[in-house]
């Protein structure tokens, strides 16, 4: 990032009033948006703070994976869900929101971004060696969806 980089913790469920219009070239939101119900408001704020031609990159749980994992009966709703994480020494209950593919992509477009690229990443060889069972599952059903969009010039 360099010595001039500044990192700030913000609440994405609220307007980003601490930032001015067209202040950034890049908004990077990796694995944090699953915890926000209203993506359209967040993405409108991202459009506002990005300079023309600026880039927005995000990753989140893949809608097909999440629908199966949470055994949803409400696929077409943004649905509050929770799971238990066990990898931190103690069990942690994590609330989040599961959404359909259309609720994943349409807020990006509706906020004013131009969709640039979508990626469904495959697990790595290192992951296969560490967790062969989950590797096999993720080779047939992606766990995450990555998206890149640009603010029009």
């Amino acid at each position: 990032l360099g010595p001039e980089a500044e990192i700030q913790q913000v609440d994405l469920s609220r307007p980003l009033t601490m930032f001015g219009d067209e202040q950034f070239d890049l908004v990077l939101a990796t694995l944090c948006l699953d915890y926000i119900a209203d993506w359209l408001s967040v993405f409108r704020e991202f459009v506002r703070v990005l300079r023309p031609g600026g880039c927005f990159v995000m990753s989140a749980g893949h809608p097909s994976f999440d629908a199966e994992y949470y055994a949803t009966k409400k696929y077409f709703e943004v649905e509050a869900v929770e799971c238990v994480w066990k990898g931190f020494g103690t069990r942690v209950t994590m609330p989040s929101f599961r959404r359909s593919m259309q609720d994943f992509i349409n807020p990006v477009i509706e906020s004013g971004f131009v969709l640039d690229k979508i990626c469904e990443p495959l697990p790595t060889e290192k992951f296969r060696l560490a967790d062969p069972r989950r590797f096999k599952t993720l080779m047939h059903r992606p766990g995450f969806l990555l998206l890149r969009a640009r603010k029009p010039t």
Side-chain angles (χ1 to χ4, degrees):
L1 292 172
E4 70 283 351
E6 181 179 331
I7 298 172
Q8 293 190 25
Q9 180 178 343
V10 298
D11 180 349
L12 291 176
S13 67
R14 301 184 182 280
L16 302 175
T17 56
M18 70 289 295
F19 302 124
D21 294 352
E22 299 183 355
Q23 187 175 343
F24 299 102
D25 295 313
L26 172 68
V27 170
L28 180 62
T30 57
L31 300 179
C32 62
L33 295 168
D34 288 322
Y35 308 100
I36 305 295
D38 177 14
W39 280 9
L40 184 58
S41 295
V42 175
F43 296 165
R44 285 181 175 151
E45 281 294 284
F46 291 170
V47 167
R48 181 185 66 77
V49 302
L50 277 171
R51 292 183 183 102
C55 190
F56 164 49
V57 178
M58 67 169 283
S59 62
H62 195 292
S64 69
F65 181 93
D66 287 354
E68 184 175 330
Y69 180 84
Y70 292 108
T72 186
K73 304 287 188 231
K74 304 174 182 179
Y75 177 80
F76 292 104
E77 295 179 24
V78 175
E79 177 181 24
V81 294
E82 62 181 36
C83 67
V84 176
W85 291 1
K86 302 173 188 173
F88 298 106
T90 59
R91 295 169 56 95
V92 177
T93 300
M94 290 300 300
S96 62
F97 295 90
R98 186 215 51 78
R99 64 196 76 237
S100 68
M101 183 65 78
Q102 67 188 13
D103 286 321
F104 194 108
I105 294 174
N106 285 338
V108 175
I109 297 165
E110 291 167 9
S111 66
F113 281 111
V114 175
L115 189 58
D116 189 39
K117 186 167 188 159
I118 293 176
C119 177
E120 297 170 300
L122 293 169
T124 64
E125 179 63 18
K126 186 175 180 179
F127 186 84
R128 183 186 69 77
L129 296 172
D131 193 339
R133 183 186 58 79
R134 285 186 32 207
F135 176 88
K136 184 177 179 182
T137 298
L138 293 172
M139 287 300 291
H140 298 284
R141 185 193 57 210
F144 299 101
L145 187 60
L146 288 64
L147 178 146
R148 184 177 66 203
R150 297 195 183 278
K151 180 177 179 176
T153 53

